[in-house]
Amino acid sequence: MSRNHYLEYKEFCYNYYRKGLTKSNIEFNSIELYYEDLENKKLKYLNNTFTKNEIEKVDLNSKKGNISCLVAKTNNSNKWVIGLHGWTENKYLALRLVHHYWKQGYNILTFDAFAHGLSYGKKTDIGYSSIEMLDEIILYLKNENAAESIGLIGNSMGASTSVLYAQKGSNKEKINWIVADCGFNSIKLQYRYYIENNLFHVPWWKIGFLFTHKFSKETKTPQRKYNLEKNMNKAKKIPIFFIHAKGDTFIPYEMSESVFLKKIKYEKQKVSEIWTPDGSEHVNTVVDYNKDYIHKTLEFSRKREKNET
């Protein structure tokens, strides 16, 4: 039973757009995908957001391969925000997360995560291998753009990746703050939760035998070690704002809550916060609570840039 279900789940995990036309006949790697996303989510700033001329495509050549990025700069600012998209998405859809920072004078960068979009990688490990990409991106912002402050904001996979980076990133000391929106605490527990509650509706222990081990072999990364609660002491100095709506049926909000509680155990002075609004499905808090989302994330970022407690 586990073998058959694993094959089906593997197809689910690895089968997503990376290039070409979508079902709605839009080029996946284009700003039109972002515009369609705004329309579908009924976000009202469609006519007041990035244009093609305001975004630059940047390719960073690392030892592992190409990292495909988007950059939008503002005048007279050395503050940067890096947007991390979710699983199956890309750097254009990550613009949804950084639009309000750009409007407030921040420079922004989004990138295709490992095995997504036009970046290198064949099989996603749900953000684990994006840590090395972030190392390269942060050096690029520091060395080529003289960045004075750098924040990360990610949702879903991007949220968990950003917290993992705070623990094991080589350049994590260069990060001023993180906003982690609806991430998971452990990829193993997320696999179990999803196959039980969303995909197969069968207790995970009946059909999930060795799933994490098999995915580790597929991706050649230690998926069992992708547990944000085990090494939170290594991220104790970086302020993290956790966001997770209670109506999320893809990743339960208790996962973010659990990581937050672990995080503040290691903080001598409380620098991290959490917001768990009612309702709102996965990655939709920015839609359903748009004004609050913008206000709370900007407030947190500005406060942490000033090193306020």
Side-chain angles (χ1 to χ4, degrees):
M1 287 179 65
S2 290
R3 182 171 61 251
N4 292 336
H5 282 87
Y6 172 73
L7 292 175
E8 185 177 345
Y9 191 49
K10 185 172 76 167
E11 176 68 14
F12 165 75
C13 287
Y14 296 148
N15 186 22
Y16 53 84
Y17 282 104
R18 291 192 65 176
K19 59 182 179 179
L21 298 178
T22 66
K23 292 180 181 179
S24 54
N25 207 36
I26 290 176
E27 171 55 46
F28 187 67
N29 294 289
S30 72
I31 198 167
E32 282 72 28
L33 183 74
Y34 168 58
Y35 295 155
E36 181 189 51
D37 180 59
L38 293 183
E39 286 192 66
N40 290 342
K41 288 183 166 51
K42 298 180 180 179
L43 285 169
K44 298 178 181 179
Y45 42 83
L46 179 59
N47 296 319
N48 189 30
T49 190
F50 307 98
T51 66
K52 288 183 179 179
N53 295 332
E54 291 168 321
I55 291 180
E56 178 187 2
K57 298 177 184 177
V58 175
D59 290 320
L60 301 182
N61 297 313
S62 71
K63 293 180 181 179
K64 295 286 184 70
N66 178 62
I67 306 170
S68 183
C69 308
L70 297 176
V71 170
K73 296 181 180 179
T74 58
N75 294 327
N76 303 317
S77 175
N78 294 107
K79 294 181 178 182
W80 284 82
V81 178
I82 301 172
L84 292 85
H85 65 77
W87 167 70
T88 78
E89 296 188 333
N90 70 356
K91 59 184 178 288
Y92 287 97
L93 295 179
L95 294 174
R96 178 200 325 131
L97 296 172
V98 296
H99 158 88
H100 61 290
Y101 283 100
W102 183 67
K103 282 296 181 181
Q104 291 296 314
Y106 289 80
N107 304 298
I108 66 96
L109 182 148
T110 63
F111 69 102
D112 289 332
F114 178 83
H116 284 74
L118 302 178
S119 288
Y120 70 85
K122 293 183 178 180
K123 292 182 178 180
T124 180
D125 48 20
I126 322 297
Y128 193 91
S129 290
S130 293
I131 300 304
E132 294 178 83
M133 292 180 162
L134 277 170
D135 281 334
E136 296 285 344
I137 289 168
I138 290 167
L139 285 179
Y140 165 74
L141 294 184
K142 285 289 186 180
N143 297 336
E144 302 296 325
N145 294 276
E148 291 181 358
S149 74
I150 299 175
L152 307 182
I153 180 170
N155 64 1
S156 194
M157 176 185 78
S160 297
T161 302
S162 66
V163 178
L164 184 66
Y165 189 81
Q167 298 175 358
K168 61 177 296 186
S170 296
N171 298 311
K172 65 181 182 179
E173 74 281 353
K174 296 178 173 64
I175 296 297
N176 294 76
W177 52 264
I178 291 171
V179 174
D181 180 359
C182 64
F184 52 81
N185 58 348
S186 158
I187 192 60
K188 179 177 72 173
L189 296 182
Q190 178 57 24
Y191 288 152
R192 292 175 177 178
Y193 178 86
Y194 194 79
I195 63 177
E196 181 171 315
N197 294 279
N198 298 75
L199 198 58
F200 302 128
H201 300 284
V202 178
W204 69 264
W205 52 269
K206 289 185 176 181
I207 58 171
F209 183 65
L210 293 179
F211 265 33
T212 307
H213 173 72
K214 290 176 181 178
F215 273 115
S216 294
K217 291 184 68 175
E218 289 279 350
T219 62
K220 297 181 175 58
T221 53
Q223 294 280 277
R224 191 175 296 278
K225 293 185 179 181
Y226 198 165
N227 185 334
L228 303 179
E229 295 187 31
K230 284 191 174 181
N231 294 300
M232 193 55 76
N233 62 312
K234 296 180 180 179
K236 59 186 176 184
K237 294 182 179 180
I238 300 178
I240 301 178
F241 183 29
F242 295 91
I243 299 173
H244 212 137
K246 294 179 180 178
D248 193 335
T249 61
F250 191 90
I251 299 176
Y253 84 94
E254 289 91 349
M255 286 192 171
S256 286
E257 195 172 56
S258 180
V259 178
F260 167 72
L261 292 174
K262 182 70 71 171
K263 174 77 165 73
I264 60 175
K265 280 185 178 181
Y266 295 102
E267 296 180 353
K268 292 182 179 179
Q269 290 183 309
K270 187 177 176 183
V271 295
S272 296
E273 301 175 22
I274 189 169
W275 176 40
T276 55
D278 292 328
S280 196
E281 251 297 356
H282 191 60
V283 306
N284 271 329
T285 307
V286 67
V287 178
D288 299 333
Y289 292 88
N290 187 252
K291 289 184 179 180
D292 288 335
Y293 193 99
I294 290 172
H295 172 73
K296 289 177 181 292
T297 53
L298 286 172
E299 182 182 50
F300 179 83
S301 305
R302 288 166 175 160
K303 185 164 56 176
R304 298 315 170 193
E305 286 162 358
K306 295 177 181 178
N307 294 317
E308 295 179 7
T309 57

